[in-house]
Amino acid sequence: MSIVLGIETSCDETGISVVQDGAVILSNEVASQIAVHAPFGGVVPEIASRHHTEIISQLTELALSEAKASPTAIAATAGPGLMGSLMVGMNFAKALAYAWELPFVPVHHIEGHIFSAFLTDDPPTFPFLTLVVSGGHTCLIQCDRPHHYVILGSTRDDAVGECFDKAARLLGLPYPGGPSIQKASEGGDPKAVKLPRGMTNEDSLEFSYSGLKTAVLYAVRENQFELADMAASFQHAAVDVLLIKTKLALRQTGAPRLVVAGGVAANRLLRERLQAELDVPVHMPPMALCVDNGAMIAAAAESLLAHGLTQGFEAVPSPSLPLVRQIPGMGDKDKATTGGSRT
Ligand code: KG4
Ligand code: ZN
């Protein structure tokens, strides 16, 4: 039996979780810093790392005592993310692993998000296509076998979650923008404000969200809209792009199922439309596992250990860690990265 302690500190959530056999969550503690960063309209890196440092010890004690099980391995997010925040989680995890003479498993944050789908009653089987939608990443990844990733397309500029956050700020809505735009959109007319759907006329799986953000900026300057209409129009535009690109990727790859992961996967409209409009099974983690958490890191770590794919103590935190693993037979085409230093 494997019991992995998973530690996630790449951005503004301290997530500590204990997971059994990569599938059963024994405890899952998440301390969000949203209230601390909200007055600044976004995450302040210095403040984030300080808060991780203050809380990580007691949150770990809590997660371990709730789990009532002793870990057989310790895992932490190695990147991408904020350097100071990554260092707190990784060094803490390494110290524990060293003291308790356990394996230390560094995990890529996106790989963690993908593995959140395995923490459900209906885990996906390989092969599948993954749509990763978070504050730092928007990408479509082909996953044919465990830990083998082919990045089919990613964003050329802003990530979709980042676009939600920036648009909310322009509209005077609180951080994080995703939930506040979703709430503000209730009762709004999604056709009221005409907004662009970046790069959807092209037969490519690349994304672009900076045009949508700029269109919101111009509309705010003209100031001729109801907030609910603007929020609904924005949300539809952002989600339309995800639907269009995902459908194209499914057609191009013939993937038999879809996994959706990352904070924006908590969006109600996106979830409803994916279920309604795709003709393949869609695996979405419950909303609590869409945003950053330690359970997804523990689940990915368990599989990495099982496949003999872990770097161990020599790994160092990396703000722009690429989603690449040296697997025999892996071609250059596979060595794409998701880019970006936000998670
Ligand atoms: O995965 P995550 O917790 O952190 C990163 O890895 O970035 O994602 C955070 C992002 C934020 O941009 C937030 O606005 C967005 O997820 N988000 C949402 C919703 N809940 C969180 N976006 C749209 N609708 C939501 N309900
Ligand atoms: Zn994330």
Side-chain angles (χ1 to χ4, degrees):
M1 184 169 66
S2 93
I3 304 279
V4 182
L5 173 69
I7 297 179
E8 155 59 41
T9 62
S10 65
C11 193
D12 60 344
E13 259 107 23
T14 317
I16 316 278
S17 177
V18 180
V19 173
Q20 185 185 318
D21 299 328
V24 182
I25 299 176
L26 301 181
S27 64
N28 188 26
E29 291 296 327
V30 180
S32 171
Q33 302 177 6
I34 283 175
V36 183
H37 298 287
F40 303 97
V43 178
V44 184
E46 286 291 322
I47 298 179
S49 46
R50 199 176 330 132
H51 273 261
H52 289 307
T53 309
E54 279 167 11
I55 204 166
I56 197 164
S57 232
Q58 79 193 75
L59 210 61
T60 304
E61 275 180 45
L62 185 63
L64 286 172
S65 70
E66 267 177 28
K68 297 186 181 66
S70 302
T72 54
I74 318 272
T77 305
L82 303 170
M83 188 52 161
S85 296
L86 290 168
M87 281 172 71
V88 175
M90 229 176 146
N91 288 338
F92 182 80
K94 277 186 184 178
L96 279 188
Y98 188 75
W100 293 345
E101 297 181 14
L102 296 174
F104 166 71
V105 190
V107 175
H108 192 286
H109 185 77
I110 301 243
E111 187 157 55
H113 274 301
I114 296 171
F115 271 80
S116 61
F118 291 87
L119 292 164
T120 63
D121 295 340
D122 178 28
T125 50
F126 291 90
F128 54 79
L129 175 74
T130 303
L131 172 67
V132 177
V133 278
S134 74
H137 292 90
T138 307
C139 47
L140 283 156
I141 305 174
Q142 192 176 332
C143 307
D144 286 337
R145 54 184 197 271
H147 309 293
H148 186 268
Y149 305 108
V150 179
I151 294 155
L152 304 173
S154 51
T155 185
R156 296 212 171 150
D157 38 60
D158 293 348
V160 59
E162 185 180 2
C163 188
F164 267 94
D165 294 338
K166 288 178 175 170
R169 200 172 172 172
L170 290 168
L171 296 171
L173 293 168
Y175 175 84
S180 44
I181 288 186
Q182 177 171 293
K183 189 155 185 289
S185 72
E186 284 164 18
D189 174 5
K191 294 203 174 86
V193 187
K194 216 170 158 340
L195 293 169
R197 274 85 170 139
M199 294 184 73
T200 47
N201 293 329
E202 301 175 27
D203 200 26
S204 118
L205 297 174
E206 301 283 296
F207 297 83
S208 170
Y209 274 99
S210 64
L212 178 55
K213 170 196 65 190
T214 308
V216 174
L217 173 70
Y218 289 147
V220 167
R221 283 188 187 155
E222 287 177 18
N223 197 22
Q224 284 176 339
F225 57 80
E226 293 296 321
L227 181 61
D229 289 345
M230 172 51 106
S233 301
F234 172 86
Q235 190 173 236
H236 266 81
V239 169
D240 263 354
V241 175
L242 299 177
L243 262 294
I244 290 166
K245 296 290 180 180
T246 303
K247 286 176 188 172
L248 182 61
L250 286 169
R251 272 202 307 279
Q252 285 186 0
T253 60
R257 57 193 67 81
L258 177 73
V259 166
V260 192
V264 184
N267 184 268
R268 213 177 308 130
L269 179 69
L270 175 63
R271 295 174 84 89
E272 284 167 7
R273 287 191 57 190
L274 286 168
Q275 292 287 11
E277 294 179 33
L278 300 186
D279 46 19
V280 296
V282 182
H283 297 262
M284 288 182 280
M287 296 203 194
L289 294 180
C290 289
V291 287
D292 294 347
N293 63 86
M296 67 187 199
I297 301 304
E302 196 274 342
S303 180
L304 286 166
L305 278 169
H307 288 88
L309 285 171
T310 176
Q311 278 177 284
F313 283 95
E314 64 273 23
V316 288
S318 168
S320 54
L321 188 69
L323 186 61
V324 174
R325 192 161 282 104
Q326 297 302 323
I327 296 175
M330 205 164 114
D332 283 342
K333 182 171 167 274
D334 303 346
K335 292 180 183 168
T337 74
T338 56
S341 61
R342 277 193 63 183
T343 50

